[in-house]
Amino acid sequence: MSKVAPKPSRSARVLRLPPRVVEPTPDSPAAVRAARNRRRRVAFLFPVSQMVIDAAVVALAFWLAFQLRLLTEYVGELTFASYRGMLGVQVGAMVTTFFFYKLYNRKRVMSHVDEFTRILAGTSVGTVLTLALTSFLFKNDFDYPRLMVVYAWGLTIGLVTMVHFVHSRVQWGMRAAGVAREHVLVVGGGETAQMILNAIQRSPGLGYRTVGVVRAGNTKGYSTLSAPVVGTVEELPDLIDRMGVDEVIIALPEASHQEVVAIINQAQREKVSIKVFPDMFQFMAGEMSIGDLNGLPLLTVRDIALRGWKLGVKRMVDVVLSAVALVFFSPLMLLVAILIKLESPGPVFFMQERMGLDARPFRVIKFRSMRVDAEEHATWTRPDDPRRTRIGAFIRQTSLDEFPQFINVLLGEMSIVGPRPEQPQYVEHFQQYIPRYMDRHREKAGLTGWAQVNGLRGDTSIFERTKYDLWYIENWSLSLDFKIMIRTALKLLFDRNAY
């Protein structure tokens, strides 16, 4: 007789084990999404912290303006407590204005010059808004004299500019260290894709991490890229999800409109940014304008920005600033000359033929930073170049060797801002394979230029530098020149990439 298994008790029948929690693996979609969300939350703290700091700085500027008022005029029994309402209006108006001027909407660290102009404009508008709201809200209790308004306006501009500079440096450093770094896919190959990869590698503080390159169409040149090929355009949606991509950069300047739209449709995933690198024509043409020929509408796609009276203005700025620079830096230049003479035999200055305006040769003047026999081994300068002297290594790193070129500027052979001049043999070589290379010589060569302030100096891509130079020539303005000068000065203080 077989034994019958006993039925489980009612209590045993209702017993249920808790569901097993499966931890996501490092490469699982859940883990990828979680990591991407963490990066975005951390990145969100950058603008929030800037907003909080701005509010505190605006309040500090207002308090300091009140203290300055006490020092310059008699105010009786007036205390700062009576200004608390105005302080709230001032802080709220300024932060709101800064928000609409997009000072908190930057995913990347913007130019300090551009940021200063926004702060200047935002503070001015915020001050007017504060006056209007204060007069409306406080009416009879309104006591905000013009001098205090000026104090608060000036102090706000100065202090906010300072803290934005510090904040941007901190943000740049944190992104370079890997904090909240966004994953980027580059679609396309060849020289354009490598140019984008180079730009990302040169500036780690932008906060990009290239996770791979996507093969598209019949584009060639993938084997020489500095990033791995991870798939094709057809696999783009899966790649975005699997690799936690935050941004897609389409580097296909010669692709048709339909091809680019098709790739964009493939890349449209949740909260993924898409950027398209423009083709050569769009990049170099600059702004278009509409004119007419006796009533017939014409579209101007290429116009020379620097001509007519603008040439006179640029020359006047060059003469004034180069003369001031030579006088101001003369003690420093004299010290450098003495150190060069003491360290090694040979002349203090190094003069070399370069190509300038209209491809006419001139002799550029520099402090000698290498041995006297360096020209016998002529080649591109490189890190730890054995031809350099000890003082030469220092003056090249700090760009002091370029200061005598203010003499070239004063003589009219160069401009302070313009394409950097090259030696004749290099010009002869480059013009053979770089489109429109000789267009760089439509303007005077410069001490500094748009390419240099964007990191393209020394042994970098001539193709890239040419495009930046052409863009500068066709989009010249006096404000752009001053912007480049200021950015150059900042790079001299904080950048030591020259060799």
Side-chain angles (χ1 to χ4, degrees), residues 55 113 181 191 320 384 386 416:
V113 179
R181 185 174 291 182
E191 197 167 51
V320 172
D384 301 320
I416 292 179

Side-chain angles (χ1 to χ4, degrees), residues 13-301:
R13 288 199 303 271
V14 299
L15 181 64
R16 295 289 186 270
L17 293 175
R20 184 167 61 93
V21 178
V22 180
E23 293 291 336
T25 62
D27 296 326
S28 69
V32 171
R33 284 195 299 272
R36 182 164 54 188
N37 289 335
R38 281 196 300 272
R39 291 197 303 272
R40 289 171 177 172
R41 284 195 297 269
V42 173
F44 181 70
L45 293 177
F46 290 134
V48 170
S49 63
Q50 184 70 83
M51 189 178 296
V52 173
I53 294 171
D54 280 356
V57 167
V58 170
L60 175 62
F62 188 85
W63 180 82
L64 290 174
F66 176 78
Q67 298 302 318
L68 287 174
R69 183 190 177 190
L70 294 181
L71 293 174
T72 55
E73 64 175 297
Y74 175 73
V75 294
E77 300 297 324
L78 189 64
T79 63
F80 187 73
S82 59
Y83 279 85
R84 285 180 298 187
M86 294 181 192
L87 174 62
V89 173
Q90 177 97 344
V91 172
M94 288 296 176
V95 172
T96 302
T97 306
F98 290 164
F99 176 83
F100 284 106
Y101 271 85
K102 297 185 178 179
L103 285 169
Y104 309 124
N105 191 32
R106 55 174 188 176
K107 295 182 67 177
R108 304 284 168 254
V109 179
M110 71 176 71
S111 160
H112 296 303
V113 179
D114 292 337
E115 191 164 31
F116 174 75
T117 58
R118 292 191 187 186
I119 292 172
L120 179 62
T123 303
S124 301
V125 173
T127 299
V128 174
L129 183 61
T130 299
L131 291 172
L133 290 175
T134 302
S135 61
F136 176 78
L137 294 173
F138 299 102
K139 296 183 180 179
N140 296 333
D141 297 328
F142 181 67
D143 182 26
Y144 198 15
R146 287 189 293 270
L147 194 58
M148 185 174 170
V149 173
V150 173
Y151 289 153
W153 175 79
L155 287 167
T156 300
I157 292 173
L159 293 175
V160 170
T161 300
M162 182 178 65
V163 298
H164 272 248
F165 175 80
V166 174
H167 190 274
S168 67
R169 293 291 94 191
V170 171
Q171 179 177 335
W172 183 273
M174 292 178 67
R175 285 192 181 277
V179 176
R181 185 174 291 182
E182 296 186 357
H183 292 186
V184 177
L185 268 181
V186 177
V187 179
E191 197 167 51
T192 302
Q194 187 58 55
M195 182 171 62
I196 292 173
L197 294 174
N198 290 341
I200 293 173
Q201 291 163 4
R202 280 197 309 268
S203 304
L206 292 175
Y208 281 136
R209 177 187 167 222
T210 306
V211 295
V213 175
V214 176
R215 189 184 297 273
N218 298 321
T219 309
K220 299 178 181 179
Y222 291 93
S223 59
T224 58
L225 296 179
S226 58
V229 178
V230 294
T232 63
V233 169
E234 290 72 21
E235 301 172 296
L236 197 53
D238 178 64
L239 291 171
I240 291 173
D241 293 337
R242 181 158 47 86
M243 306 183 81
V245 174
D246 301 285
E247 189 163 303
V248 174
I249 300 178
I250 302 174
L252 297 169
E254 297 179 0
S256 66
H257 175 73
Q258 291 80 4
E259 290 172 326
V260 173
V261 170
I263 295 172
I264 291 174
N265 289 334
Q266 290 282 78
Q268 285 180 339
R269 312 294 286 175
E270 182 183 3
K271 296 181 180 177
V272 173
S273 300
I274 302 173
K275 290 184 173 64
V276 180
F277 186 84
D279 62 33
M280 185 74 70
F281 175 80
Q282 291 171 323
F283 190 86
M284 292 184 176
E287 295 183 1
M288 296 185 182
S289 59
I290 299 176
D292 70 273
L293 179 64
N294 197 23
L296 180 67
L298 296 176
L299 185 66
T300 301
V301 297

Side-chain angles (χ1 to χ4, degrees), residues 375-492:
E375 283 290 279
E376 298 176 9
H377 312 282
T379 181
W380 289 104
T381 54
R382 56 189 184 274
D384 301 320
D385 198 312
R387 298 172 298 166
R388 297 178 307 177
T389 61
R390 284 177 299 176
I391 185 64
F394 173 75
I395 64 175
R396 290 184 74 90
Q397 190 178 46
T398 55
S399 295
L400 289 173
D401 62 322
E402 309 282 359
F403 278 32
Q405 289 170 42
F406 282 115
I407 299 173
N408 291 114
V409 176
L410 198 60
L411 294 174
E413 297 169 330
M414 293 179 65
S415 178
I416 292 179
V417 180
R420 287 295 293 161
E422 294 288 356
Q423 299 177 48
Q425 65 269 25
Y426 292 138
V427 173
E428 183 68 26
H429 175 65
F430 294 148
Q431 69 174 326
Q432 301 298 325
Y433 69 94
I434 297 180
R436 294 186 61 191
Y437 179 80
M438 294 306 293
D439 285 356
R440 298 171 72 251
H441 299 281
R442 289 185 297 163
E443 308 298 342
K444 289 180 182 178
L447 265 170
T448 184
W450 185 236
Q452 283 66 43
V453 298
N454 283 284
L456 295 168
R457 59 182 301 187
D459 192 8
T460 53
S461 169
I462 300 297
F463 183 81
E464 292 181 58
R465 285 158 61 179
T466 300
K467 290 202 292 184
Y468 277 83
D469 289 336
L470 293 178
W471 185 91
Y472 165 77
I473 290 171
E474 295 179 358
N475 294 271
W476 177 89
S477 68
L478 196 59
S479 61
L480 178 61
D481 269 7
F482 283 119
K483 175 180 177 179
I484 293 172
M485 292 178 203
I486 295 171
R487 288 184 61 177
T488 300
L490 293 174
K491 280 186 173 291
L492 290 178

